[in-house]
Amino acid sequence: MIPSTEAGWKVRLRNGNQMVAEGAAASGCRFFAGYPITPASGIYKGMIDNLQRRGDLAISSPDEISALAYCVGASMRGVKAMTATSGPGWALMIETLQYALMTETPLVIAVVQRLGPSTGGATQGAQGDILLTEYCTSGGYTVPVFTPSTAAECFELTVHAFSWSETLRTPVIILLDKEVAMTTESVDYTILHTPPVANRVVHHGARNGAAGGGGDRNGGGSTRMYDFTDIADVPPFIPVGGPLKVTATGSAHNKSGELRKNDPETLEMLRHLEEKILSRAAEMETIAADPQEGAGTLVLSFGITARAAREAVRKARAAGHATSFINLKTLFPVPEASLRTAASGVDRVVIAEENMHGQYRGVIRHLFPGADVRGVNRVGSMITPDEILGAIV
Amino acid sequence: MTDRGTVRGQATTGRDGTTPQGVTTFMAESCSLPFCKGCGHGHVLRKLNDAMVRLRLDPSKVSLVTDIGCIGLADSLFSLPHTVHTTHGRSTAFATGIELADAVLADSRLKTIVMIGDGGAMIGLLHLVNAALLNVDVTVILCNNYLFGMTGGQNSAFSPLDFITSTTPRGNMIPPLDVCGLMTGSNAGFVARKLATDPDLGDTIADAIAHPGFSMVEVVELCTEFGARRNRLSGTVLRGIVESHGQSLGVLTSGTARGEFGTVYSGKFPPNGEKAGGRGDGFILRKFNATLDRRFGIVIGGSAGEKVQSAAATLCEAAAMSGLHSSQKNDNPVTQGTGFSLAEVCLDPSVVEYTGIDSPDAVIVASDAGAAQLTAGGIFGRCRPDTLVVCDADVRIPDSPGTIVRPALRKTFGPTRAALGALAFALGRLGLFPSSAFIEAIRRRDADLAGMIEGKAGKLASPEDTSSTP
C-alpha cells in the first residue's frame, strides 16, 4: 500500500498544543506568560522551549489574571504576546480580555476546552466553551474565535490568529479542545500551510502630548492615540516606550484615549471596536468547505468533532446520500454568507458539537430558515462518526 | 525611535534613561486637580512629578500605570509620560508585563511607575508580591488612605483597628495589613513607608524610582471625605495611627545584591539567540513500506512509570517511517506517577480522522493496573475474533472474543520494557509494516535497547491461549 502522501513525507509526531507553540514562534511571538492547567500546559511548555532560547520572553505567572495582564503590558510595549489556558483559567482572564479589547491591544489566547462546569474534568474533552469565549464582554463585542481540528490546523490557525490580532489590534482566541490539544499525530510538514504573517502597523506621527502643543495633552496638531478616519479603520499602534505618547484606558474614551462619557466621539469609538472586526469578517474566514453537487444535507462541525463528521459524511456519500460538509475553522465572526450559500438547496443542516445543547447551533440556526436543523451533541466523550451519520441519513 | 529626544528642551536619552537637561514638568501645565479639599493625593502627585523632573527622566521612557480609585485619576494629570489606566488591582500586573517585555527589547530602559490605592493593593496583592519577586523595574506608589474613597468610604484591608467606615460602623475589628512587611518578605529591594506630609516625600519617591528593580513607597494619607470626618481625625494623627499598629516609617529596605529582572534574564537567555522556531530538525522520513491498507486501532494498557506511552510513541514513529499516519491518545491518573497508563494508537495509510477506537484491532496488556483500567473501559468486550490480544502471562483479564496470546512479557523484557517488547512481538504477527522499522525506531533512541528487544521478541514463546485466565 502506497501512502496517500507519496508526494512528500517529512513527519513529526506532534500534538495540537505543540503545534500552537510552533505556530506562535512562526508568527514572531516574542512573549508568553503562562500558568499551568490541563489540557493547555503543553502550550506553556512549548513556548518556554521555543522563546527562551531565542532570547525572547517566556515566563511563569502566579495566576491566570497575571498571565493575561502581563501579555497586555508586553503587547502595549510592542511585542506579539500570547497565553494559554483552559476553562477555569479563562474565567479569570475575562476582565483582562475586555481591557485588551477596549484598549485595542493585540494578543492571542489559546483556550483549550475541557469538561466543565467549574474544574469539571481536567483530562476529559469538551466543546462547551463556545459561548463563554465569544460572549465574554460586557456589551457583547465580537471576539474572533478560530477552532482547529487537527495538529496541523493548530499551527495554521495560530498563525492566522496572530495575523488577525495584529491587523485588527484586538484579542483573538484560538479555541482548542482537549482531544485536539493532547492527541499526538503524524504531521506532514511538506503540506503544512503557513498563512501570511502580519505585523501591527506602527504610528510614525509627530510626538503628541504637551511637548509640541504647549501644555494640554493632545493639544493642537499632535498625534492622537486612536488616529483613524473611517469607523472601521484600524488605528496605527503606538507602543509604550516609543516616541509617541500612549494614553490608554479601559474606560470609555475618545480618540485621544481620554476617559469620556457619552460624547459622540466616544460612542463612535465603541462602535469602531465592533466595526473594525465585522467589516473584515469575510477576509478572516477560514472555513474548509467540501460541497457535494445536489446535496440534501449540509453537515457543520469544528474541532475534534469535525473529524468524526468528515468520516460520517464519507460514509453517507458512499451510501448514496449526497452530503456537503464544512469544517468551521472560524466560529466568530460567524461566517454568515458562506454558511447561507453552503446551505442553499439543502433541506437539512446537521451541526455536531461536543456540548449539551448545541451552543453554536443556537448561534447560527437562524441562517437556515426552512431547513431541518439537527444537532448531534454529547457530553463527556467524543461524538462518533456513526452518531453523526444517524442524523444525516 | 527616530525622533527620540525631540521633547522640548531635551537632548538624546542616555543609557540610564535620563536626559542631560530634562523637562520642567511631566504634568499638564493647566491641570486642575480633581481631588477633594485637603486630600493628599494631589500633593503626592506633585512630589512624584518633582522626582521625575529631578531625575531628568526622558518622558518617552516613562510609563505611568494607574489603578482604579481616586489615585487612579493620576494618569489624566500627566501629559508627558505614557499613561496606562488599568483595571482594579491589576495595575502592577500590567506594569510587570510592560517591564518584562522591555527586558528583551534592544531599546530597553523604560521606567514604569504604578499609582495604586489601598483598595487596589488589596485586590491585587499577588501582583505586588510577584513584581517584587521578579524584581522588575517597577516603582509602586501606594497611596494608603485606609479606605475606599471613590465608592463611599468602605473599609479595606489597610483600615486601622476601630476605624469607622461606612462598612465598619462600630469600628473596624480586623487589624490592618503591613504591606511593607509583605513586600520585604517578597524580596523587594526598596521599601518605604512615608506620611503624605513628610517634607522629604519627594526624595524618597526619587530614590525609589532610581532604584534598579522593584520598589514600593507606601504613602499614608487620610481621606478627608470619609476618613477624617467620621473618625474626627486630622492629618497630624497619622503618625500615631501607623505606630499604634507597630508599623515603622521611613525607608525600610534599600538596596539588594539581586539583579534587576532584565539583567538576570538576558544573562540566562542572551538576546538574539537561536532564530529557528525549532522546525529544522527531528523529521521522520519514509524508509519502509507499510502493508497496512486500512485504519488499525491498538490499545496499550500498563502501569505508570513502565514506559507505556513512550512505547506507543515508538510505534507511531515506526509507522511514520513506513509512511503511515498515526494518532496517539494517552490516559493516566492525574497524579501521573502511579496507577495505570494507557495509550490508544490509530494507524492509517490515510489521515486519521476520528481518533476513537470503538473496536480495537489489537490490545496490549502489560500489567495488572493496565488490565484493570482496560477492563473498566470495556475494551475486552469490544474485541472481535480477529483482534489480537497480547497479554502478559501472569496478568488476569476477563473473557474476550479476541484472539488472546500470553507471552511472559514482564519476565522476558522486564516491567519497564514489557509494553515495548509486546509491541515488537505483536507487530511480528500483525505485519502492518516491517518489524525492522520498529526496531529502527527504538534504535534512534537507544541502540542497546533495540538489540535486546529484537533478540528477545524474535525468540519469545507465544502460547496461543484463548482462555481468559492464566
Side-chain angles (χ1 to χ4, degrees), chain A residues 1-6 9-14 21-22 25-26 30-31 33 38 48 50-63 65-66 68-79 95-96 99-100 103 122-123 149-150 155 178-179 182-192 194 204-212 214-218 238-251 257 259 304 306-308 310-311 314 382-386, chain B residues 1-4 6-8 27-30 59-63 68 73 75-88 90 92-110 112 126-127 130-131 134 261 265 269-286 289-293 295 313-314 316-317 319-332 334 336 349-358 445:
Chain A
M1 176 73 194
I2 302 298
S4 56
T5 51
E6 182 65 15
W9 187 254
K10 274 175 70 181
V11 167
R12 279 194 189 139
L13 303 176
R14 286 284 186 267
E22 285 196 24
R30 297 191 66 188
F31 188 95
T38 304
I48 291 280
N50 285 343
L51 294 193
Q52 289 188 336
R53 62 191 173 136
R54 292 155 63 143
D56 291 333
L57 203 125
I59 197 162
S60 62
S61 63
D63 63 8
I65 296 173
S66 305
L68 191 55
Y70 291 177
C71 289
V72 172
S75 183
M76 285 181 155
R77 181 69 183 90
V79 302
E95 178 192 42
T96 310
Y99 182 83
T103 55
T123 58
S149 70
T150 65
F155 176 87
K178 175 260 167 184
E179 297 292 346
M182 291 186 68
T183 300
T184 300
E185 303 186 68
S186 46
V187 177
D188 184 355
Y189 282 67
T190 63
I191 52 171
L192 193 62
T194 307
H204 293 291
R207 172 136 172 97
N208 51 356
D216 291 330
R217 285 149 51 98
N218 307 300
I238 301 178
V240 168
L244 297 179
K245 175 180 155 40
V246 166
T247 306
T249 176
S251 297
L259 189 155
I304 192 64
R307 300 165 65 150
R310 201 178 282 115
E311 283 199 16
R314 215 172 278 157
M382 289 192 295
I383 295 171
T384 65
D386 285 347
Chain B
M1 306 305 143
T2 49
D3 49 349
R4 176 190 300 154
T6 58
V7 175
R8 178 181 51 184
M27 300 181 88
E29 286 169 12
S30 60
S60 74
K61 294 295 170 192
V62 175
S63 61
I68 299 293
L73 300 171
D75 58 291
S76 63
L77 307 175
F78 284 83
S79 55
L80 285 191
H82 303 284
T83 55
V84 180
H85 180 58
T86 68
T87 50
H88 198 198
R90 316 300 167 199
T92 319
F94 289 103
T96 300
I98 290 171
E99 283 293 334
L100 287 173
D102 193 60
V104 295
L105 290 174
D107 59 348
S108 139
R109 60 186 177 280
L110 200 63
T112 297
L126 180 58
H127 308 309
N130 204 58
L134 286 167
F261 175 83
Y265 191 85
F269 306 105
N272 304 313
E274 290 174 54
K275 283 293 172 211
R279 292 189 57 182
D281 50 26
F283 287 114
I284 302 168
L285 305 178
R286 185 174 172 189
N289 285 319
T291 46
L292 182 67
D293 60 358
R295 194 230 295 260
T314 307
C316 293
E317 195 172 323
M321 287 162 62
S322 309
L324 293 173
H325 293 268
S326 65
S327 68
Q328 179 185 344
K329 286 164 46 133
N330 298 331
D331 192 15
N332 43 259
V334 288
Q336 305 209 354
S350 304
V351 170
V352 178
E353 293 287 1
Y354 177 62
T355 57
I357 299 175
D358 295 332
R445 303 173 188 206

Side-chain angles (χ1 to χ4, degrees), chain A residues 103-126:
Chain A
T103 55
E104 307 195 41
T105 304
L107 51 84
V108 173
I109 306 166
V111 178
V112 185
Q113 297 166 99
R114 66 189 219 185
L115 189 70
S118 188
T119 38
T123 58
Q124 286 173 272

Side-chain angles (χ1 to χ4, degrees), chain B residues 58-229:
Chain B
D58 172 352
S60 74
K61 294 295 170 192
V62 175
S63 61
L64 183 64
V65 181
T66 57
D67 211 87
I68 299 293
C70 294
I71 197 62
L73 300 171
D75 58 291
S76 63
L77 307 175
F78 284 83
S79 55
L80 285 191
H82 303 284
T83 55
V84 180
H85 180 58
T86 68
T87 50
H88 198 198
R90 316 300 167 199
S91 50
T92 319
F94 289 103
T96 300
I98 290 171
E99 283 293 334
L100 287 173
D102 193 60
V104 295
L105 290 174
D107 59 348
S108 139
R109 60 186 177 280
L110 200 63
K111 284 280 179 191
T112 297
I113 298 159
V114 170
M115 297 301 305
I116 192 169
D118 49 305
M122 181 173 83
I123 189 173
L125 269 183
L126 180 58
H127 308 309
L128 289 169
V129 168
N130 204 58
L133 291 172
L134 286 167
N135 204 25
V136 283
D137 198 6
V138 169
T139 296
V140 175
I141 313 290
L142 195 172
C143 291
N144 174 14
N145 62 2
Y146 293 141
L147 49 69
F148 290 81
M150 191 176 260
T151 48
Q154 298 87 349
N155 68 296
S156 79
F158 292 70
S159 302
L161 271 174
D162 300 322
F163 206 56
I164 306 287
T165 70
S166 64
T167 46
T168 54
R170 296 189 184 185
N172 176 35
M173 57 190 147
I174 304 163
L177 174 74
D178 177 359
V179 73
C180 291
L182 183 69
M183 289 298 95
T184 302
S186 306
N187 265 308
F190 185 102
V191 179
R193 178 181 288 116
K194 301 292 287 181
L195 302 180
T197 49
D198 284 345
D200 61 347
L201 176 63
D203 297 336
T204 305
I205 291 175
D207 289 347
I209 295 171
H211 174 82
F214 181 85
S215 56
M216 190 192 75
V217 181
E218 179 190 359
V219 183
V220 180
E221 305 176 47
L222 209 51
C223 175
T224 46
E225 184 67 17
F226 297 109
R229 209 186 307 161

Side-chain angles (χ1 to χ4, degrees), chain A residues 94-378:
Chain A
I94 287 174
E95 178 192 42
T96 310
L97 178 286
Q98 297 188 61
Y99 182 83
L101 189 150
M102 188 62 146
T103 55
E104 307 195 41
T105 304
L107 51 84
V108 173
I109 306 166
V111 178
V112 185
Q113 297 166 99
R114 66 189 219 185
L115 189 70
S118 188
T119 38
T123 58
Q124 286 173 272
Q127 297 179 309
D129 298 352
I130 315 301
L131 302 184
L132 186 64
T133 46
E134 179 58 23
Y135 300 121
C136 65
T137 64
S138 292
Y141 288 76
T142 297
V143 179
V145 177
F146 302 117
T147 43
S149 70
T150 65
E153 284 179 11
C154 284
F155 176 87
E156 174 199 329
L157 290 180
T158 301
V159 176
H160 192 70
F162 266 102
S163 289
W164 278 106
S165 173
E166 294 286 315
T167 300
L168 294 169
R169 287 189 61 181
T170 199
V172 172
I173 291 169
I174 175 161
L175 184 64
L176 289 78
D177 50 67
K178 175 260 167 184
E179 297 292 346
V180 169
M182 291 186 68
T183 300
T184 300
E185 303 186 68
S186 46
V187 177
D188 184 355
Y189 282 67
T190 63
I191 52 171
L192 193 62
H193 173 55
T194 307
V197 172
N199 298 308
R200 67 189 75 172
V201 175
V202 175
H203 206 305
H204 293 291
R207 172 136 172 97
N208 51 356
D216 291 330
R217 285 149 51 98
N218 307 300
S222 62
T223 303
R224 304 184 84 184
M225 179 66 183
Y226 301 101
D227 191 6
F228 62 94
T229 309
D230 186 86
I231 195 165
D233 287 348
V234 179
F237 175 78
I238 301 178
V240 168
L244 297 179
K245 175 180 155 40
V246 166
T247 306
T249 176
S251 297
H253 49 266
N254 60 20
K255 289 184 180 178
S256 300
E258 297 162 333
L259 189 155
R260 291 288 184 275
K261 288 189 178 170
N262 286 338
D263 70 43
E265 187 174 284
T266 300
L267 296 176
E268 183 194 352
M269 284 295 288
L270 295 174
R271 287 196 304 276
H272 150 79
L273 293 176
E274 187 68 356
E275 285 300 320
K276 67 175 179 178
I277 294 171
L278 291 187
S279 64
R280 291 168 180 83
E283 288 174 69
M284 239 183 287
E285 189 179 296
T286 56
I287 63 171
D290 176 15
Q292 190 176 28
E293 190 70 31
T297 301
L298 169 66
V299 177
L300 303 175
S301 192
F302 51 87
I304 192 64
T305 311
R307 300 165 65 150
R310 201 178 282 115
E311 283 199 16
V313 168
R314 215 172 278 157
K315 287 183 183 178
R317 287 173 180 173
H321 299 272
T323 309
S324 292
F325 172 63
I326 290 178
N327 169 23
L328 291 156
K329 298 193 290 187
T330 306
L331 293 186
F332 299 96
V334 176
E336 290 193 5
S338 296
L339 293 183
R340 282 186 209 274
T341 305
S344 67
V346 307
D347 49 29
R348 184 183 299 176
V349 178
V350 174
I351 305 164
E353 49 189 315
E354 194 181 323
N355 54 49
M356 196 175 294
H357 299 302
Q359 295 187 3
Y360 199 62
R361 185 171 86 245
V363 172
I364 62 171
R365 70 177 308 150
H366 71 96
L367 299 172
F368 315 116
D372 170 16
V373 178
R374 297 187 178 187
V376 182
N377 301 97
R378 177 186 267 276

